[in-house]
Amino acid sequence: MTLRTSCLGPALWAACLMLTAPASRAEQAMTPEQALGFVRIGNLAFSPDGSRLAFLSVSYRWDYRPHLSVMDVATGALHALTPDGKSERAPLWSPDGKTLAFLSNRGGKTQVYTMPSSGGDAVALTACKWGVDSFDWSPDGRSIAYLAKDDDAPDEDTGPQLADDDKSLSRLRILDIAAKTTRPLSRAGLRIDEFQWQTPSRILAVATDTPRVEEFDDSVYAIATANGATTLVAQPPQPFERLLVSPDRTQFALRSTVKHGPSPRDLFVGSGKDLHDVSQNPGLAVADVKWHAQDTIWLRVLDGFYNRLWRLPVGGAASKIDLPLSVDAFDVAHDGRIAFVGEDFAHLPELYLRDAKGSIRQLGEMQAAAADIHLSPARIFHTRSFDGTDIESALIKPALPAPHGKYPLLLWVHGGPGANFTTGYGWEQAFGQLMAAHGYEVLLVNPRGSGGYSEDFEMANKADWGGGDYKDLLAVLDSVIAQGETDPDRLAIGGWSYGAEMSEWATTQTNRFKAAFVGAGVFDQEAEFETEDEPAADEWGFGTPWEHPDVYARNSPSTYIRHAHTPTLIVDGVDDEANPVGQSKGLYRALKHFGVETQMVLYPDEGHSPRKGSYNIDMFERMLGWYDKYVGNGS
C-alpha cells in the first residue's frame, strides 16, 4: 500500500521526511542516549463507546516503567495518569465504560485502582500485603476478581525459602465493589496463571493442580463464584496461553499449537472439548487477538518482518486488513475503527486510527522527544541457505558511503530462538541504528527456529542449536559479502539471550569475527536447565540433561570453548532468572583461562533484560566501544 498524504496527514509525512532523509556527517554521530530515547506503545484499550483510548507507554527515559494514558480519540487530547517514578499497567474499562481500572504501584505495592472515565482521582480497591498479580471485571461490573498471595505468605526476600511452598501461590479472590468486601475463591494447591470471568457465576482459569511439576501441564478450569468449586473444562495442546472469553460468554479462545511446537501460535476456539484451530487461514503465527463482537475475531499475526492484521468472521474465511505499516499493538471499536501502533524501518512507532472506510490518521506525537533519531535505510531480502531453505533477513546500511570503500559489518542475532526480527524500532533495532550511524552495516537474520513463519520452520532447530540455524546465519552473511560492499576482514557478531548463545557458538566454530558481544547468554545448557526459572521450553527442545546428556553437551558452547579466540564483551543482570548470571560468569572464566580478550559487566538489581535507562546507555557505550576497538568503523 502506498502512503497517501490525503489519509495520513501532514504530521506523518513530516516525520517520514525527517526519518528517511540522509544524515550529514555530524548527524551520524548518534549517541547511545539518543538511540534509546524512543517510546514504545502497547495495551491499547478502547472504552466501550469508542470515545477514549487507554494505552501504556514505556521508555528507557523512565527506566522502562509502564506509564498509563487516556486519549480522547476525537480531539487527540492526552491525559497522562502515572505519577513520576511509578508504574501502571493492565488498563481495563468497566462493562458500562464509566470506570477505568488498572494496576498501579503509586502507593507502594501493586494494587487495583479505579478512576471515573470522566476524570478524577484514582482510588485503591485493594490493599494486599504482597500486591496484586492480575484482575478482571465481572460481566455485570459489580465485582472484580483478582489474583494475589495471602498476607501471611512467606516473605520472598527474608528468612528461610522453602521451595514449592503452597503458601507462596497466589489465590483468586472476589471483591464486591459496592459492599467493599473481599472473599477468597480458589482452593489450595492450584496455581492459576490466567483467568477471565465467563458469567457472573463462573470464572475460567488457565491453571495446574500440580504446581511442583516444571513442565507444560496447564489445563482450563471453571471455578464457581459461589463456592469455588473447580471443574476441568479443557486440556488444549501444550503449551497454550492468552485465554479470551467470547462476547456472548458461551465460548472461549486461546493460543495453542497444532503441531505441539515450542510456542503457542495457533488460535483455538470452542466451549471445552470441542476446541479447534480456526487460524489455518492465514496460517501464520497469531500474536494477539481481539474479540469484541460475537461474529468477528481480529488477529495480529507475525508475517516475517511484518506484523499484519486479519479479520476472521466466525465460521468464515479470514481477510487481511490493508495497513501501510507493521502493527505492534491494536484494538478495535464496536463501530469498526481500528487503533494501532504502526512502525517500520523508516518510521518510529506512533498511534494511528483507521476508520471504517479505510482512511488513516495519526493520533498525537508519541516520539516528540526522539527527534534526534535519524533512521538509516534498511532492506529486507531472501537467501537460499545451505539446504535450500528460504531465509528472510534485513540489512541496515549507513546513510553515508564507506570512507575506505567497504563497510565493517555486525551480524546481530535475535533472542528466542522462537522470536524474530521485525521491522520497527525496539532495543535491538536501536542498537542497530546506532551502529549504522557509526559506519557499520548491520545484518538481521531470521534463521530456522525463528517465529513469524511456519510452525515447521520454528521447530526446525529442535535439539540442533548451532546446527542448521548457525549455517543459515553464515549463508546470509556470505550472500551479503558477495555483493561487494562489505569488508570480510572486519566482521563482528552479537546478540542477547539465544542471540548471545549463538554468538558464543560462532566464536567456537570460526575466527571470522573480530569481536563478539554476549548479552545474558547460555554457556552450558545442562547447568542452565538446572538453575533457570522456567525449564519447560528447554525440555521441549532437548529433553532433560539427566536422560540426554549428549544432546545438552552437543548444544552447549562450553563444549567447544577451547577453540574460541574472538575478543568477547559479556553483559548480564545480576538477578537474571531466565539465563542465570552463572552462565555469563562461566563463559568469562573460560575465556580468561584460554587467554581470550574478554570483559564482563554485571548490572545489579536487574533481571534478564536490564530496564534502567542509565544501565542501557552504559551498555550501548561499551558495546560500541568494544566493536570500534576490535573491528573499527572505517572512519
Side-chain angles (χ1 to χ4, degrees):
M1 177 177 178
T2 302
L3 301 180
R4 304 192 306 270
T5 53
S6 59
C7 72
L8 287 169
L12 176 58
W13 276 98
C16 178
L17 291 172
M18 176 193 74
L19 293 171
T20 57
S24 69
R25 181 70 66 181
E27 289 175 330
Q28 263 197 311
M30 179 191 293
T31 67
E33 187 172 12
Q34 290 170 334
L36 290 163
F38 66 99
V39 174
R40 290 213 67 81
I41 315 154
N43 290 80
L44 277 58
F46 271 115
S47 59
D49 65 1
S51 65
R52 296 176 177 86
L53 182 70
F55 62 90
L56 299 181
S57 51
V58 293
S59 174
Y60 289 106
R61 302 197 307 270
W62 320 321
D63 294 335
Y64 231 64
R65 296 186 182 99
H67 284 199
L68 175 60
S69 300
V70 176
M71 177 180 285
D72 183 290
V73 177
T75 66
L78 193 63
H79 183 199
L81 303 180
T82 307
D84 288 343
K86 301 299 180 180
S87 63
E88 294 173 335
R89 57 186 175 88
L92 284 177
W93 297 95
S94 61
D96 63 7
K98 295 180 179 180
T99 306
L100 178 65
F102 52 92
L103 294 178
S104 175
N105 69 353
R106 61 176 63 194
K109 291 290 185 180
T110 299
Q111 309 291 347
V112 179
Y113 281 75
T114 59
M115 65 176 296
S117 60
S118 57
D121 294 331
V123 177
L125 298 187
T126 61
C128 300
K129 180 178 180 179
W130 308 114
V132 173
D133 300 333
S134 58
F135 75 98
D136 190 35
W137 285 98
S138 64
D140 57 15
R142 298 177 179 177
S143 302
I144 281 179
Y146 65 92
L147 198 62
K149 293 180 180 179
D150 292 335
D151 286 352
D152 63 355
D155 190 336
E156 293 183 349
D157 296 323
T158 63
Q161 306 292 304
L162 177 62
D164 295 323
D165 188 355
D166 184 65
K167 294 180 180 179
S168 296
L169 293 176
S170 294
R171 317 290 185 188
L172 194 61
R173 293 167 169 78
I174 293 182
L175 167 67
D176 185 305
I177 297 175
K180 298 182 180 180
T181 58
T182 300
R183 58 187 174 88
L185 189 64
S186 61
R187 60 177 172 83
L190 191 70
R191 189 194 72 223
I192 298 176
D193 296 322
E194 301 178 36
F195 69 93
Q196 195 170 58
W197 289 80
Q198 186 170 29
T199 69
S201 62
R202 175 178 162 116
I203 291 176
L204 293 183
V206 176
T208 176
D209 58 4
T210 56
R212 289 171 58 93
V213 176
E214 297 182 290
E215 300 173 1
F216 295 130
D217 69 338
D218 275 347
S219 298
V220 179
Y221 293 89
I223 303 176
T225 60
N227 56 15
T230 303
T231 305
L232 179 65
V233 174
Q235 293 179 303
Q238 304 284 351
F240 71 92
E241 63 180 9
R242 304 289 180 89
L243 179 71
L244 181 63
V245 172
S246 65
D248 69 359
R249 306 283 168 179
T250 64
Q251 296 179 297
F252 60 91
L254 50 81
R255 291 194 309 166
S256 184
T257 166
V258 172
K259 296 186 176 182
H260 301 273
S263 60
R265 49 171 290 137
D266 304 306
L267 184 66
F268 282 58
V269 173
S271 56
K273 294 182 179 180
D274 63 338
L275 278 173
H276 61 286
D277 177 28
V278 299
S279 55
Q280 300 96 331
N281 175 23
L284 299 168
V286 176
D288 196 8
V289 181
K290 305 293 181 181
W291 198 358
H292 299 316
Q294 185 59 31
D295 62 350
T296 305
I297 302 175
W298 299 83
L299 310 176
R300 179 171 66 91
V301 301
L302 307 183
D303 186 6
F305 274 80
Y306 278 82
N307 296 341
R308 317 279 190 186
L309 289 191
W310 286 68
R311 180 179 180 273
L312 176 62
V314 174
S319 57
K320 186 168 66 173
I321 305 302
D322 193 15
L323 295 175
L325 300 169
S326 183
V327 178
D328 194 49
F330 80 105
D331 197 17
V332 183
H334 285 289
D335 60 4
R337 289 174 300 155
I338 301 173
F340 67 96
V341 179
E343 60 181 345
D344 60 19
F345 281 129
H347 299 87
L348 297 177
E350 292 283 5
L351 271 172
Y352 300 93
L353 185 73
R354 180 188 187 271
D355 65 23
K357 295 182 180 180
S359 294
I360 298 171
R361 65 182 175 92
Q362 185 174 327
L363 298 174
E365 290 279 352
M366 299 304 299
Q367 306 296 345
D372 291 333
I373 298 176
H374 297 271
L375 299 179
S376 295
R379 175 176 62 90
I380 298 172
F381 62 98
H382 292 257
T383 304
R384 290 292 177 185
S385 190
F386 68 99
D387 59 357
T389 300
D390 181 72
I391 303 298
E392 190 175 32
S393 308
L395 183 66
I396 303 174
K397 296 185 69 66
L400 297 176
H404 304 298
K406 292 188 177 183
Y407 297 106
L409 180 144
L410 169 62
L411 171 58
W412 191 253
V413 191
H414 67 66
N420 63 306
F421 283 122
T422 59
T423 178
Y425 197 88
W427 187 92
E428 291 181 307
Q429 293 90 340
F431 185 68
Q433 288 289 340
L434 176 67
M435 291 295 288
H438 285 261
Y440 292 81
E441 291 181 319
V442 181
L443 179 58
L444 311 175
V445 182
N446 285 336
R448 68 192 67 201
S450 301
Y453 304 91
S454 70
E455 192 158 17
D456 288 337
F457 187 86
E458 187 174 353
M459 296 167 63
N461 69 338
K462 183 174 183 177
D464 188 38
W465 294 14
D469 47 7
Y470 173 66
K471 294 178 181 177
D472 293 340
L473 295 172
L474 293 191
V476 177
L477 174 62
D478 288 338
S479 73
V480 171
I481 292 173
Q483 296 170 13
E485 295 184 339
T486 303
D487 186 342
D489 295 323
R490 290 190 293 157
L491 304 177
I493 192 168
W496 198 270
S497 195
Y498 164 79
E501 181 174 356
M502 291 302 294
S503 300
E504 296 176 43
W505 181 271
T507 66
T508 71
Q509 307 296 309
T510 180
N511 293 322
R512 296 179 67 180
F513 300 104
K514 306 307 179 185
F517 167 76
V518 172
V522 175
F523 180 55
D524 183 329
Q525 288 285 2
E526 179 174 354
E528 195 253 357
F529 182 90
E530 292 170 345
T531 56
E532 66 184 322
D533 187 37
E534 296 179 353
D538 282 350
E539 184 170 350
W540 180 92
F542 309 124
T544 70
W546 317 296
E547 296 162 304
H548 304 284
D550 56 326
V551 177
Y552 275 75
R554 153 64 184 84
N555 287 269
S556 295
S558 60
T559 304
Y560 313 97
I561 195 63
R562 69 191 63 191
H563 304 302
H565 300 285
T566 304
T568 301
L569 173 63
I570 305 165
V571 165
D572 206 347
V574 172
D575 298 330
D576 190 344
E577 294 183 340
N579 294 340
V581 69
Q583 295 294 306
S584 294
K585 292 180 178 180
L587 172 63
Y588 179 61
R589 181 166 293 168
L591 291 177
K592 288 196 301 179
H593 176 77
F594 290 111
V596 180
E597 288 294 324
T598 183
Q599 186 178 94
M600 182 173 68
V601 184
L602 302 180
Y603 296 107
D605 301 317
E606 293 284 10
H608 189 56
S609 299
R611 300 162 65 90
K612 192 173 181 179
S614 61
Y615 287 168
N616 279 276
I617 291 171
D618 177 81
M619 196 186 315
F620 272 26
E621 288 174 345
R622 293 178 186 275
M623 293 158 67
L624 177 60
W626 191 263
Y627 287 130
D628 277 353
K629 178 179 180 180
Y630 292 102
V631 179
N633 64 359
S635 59

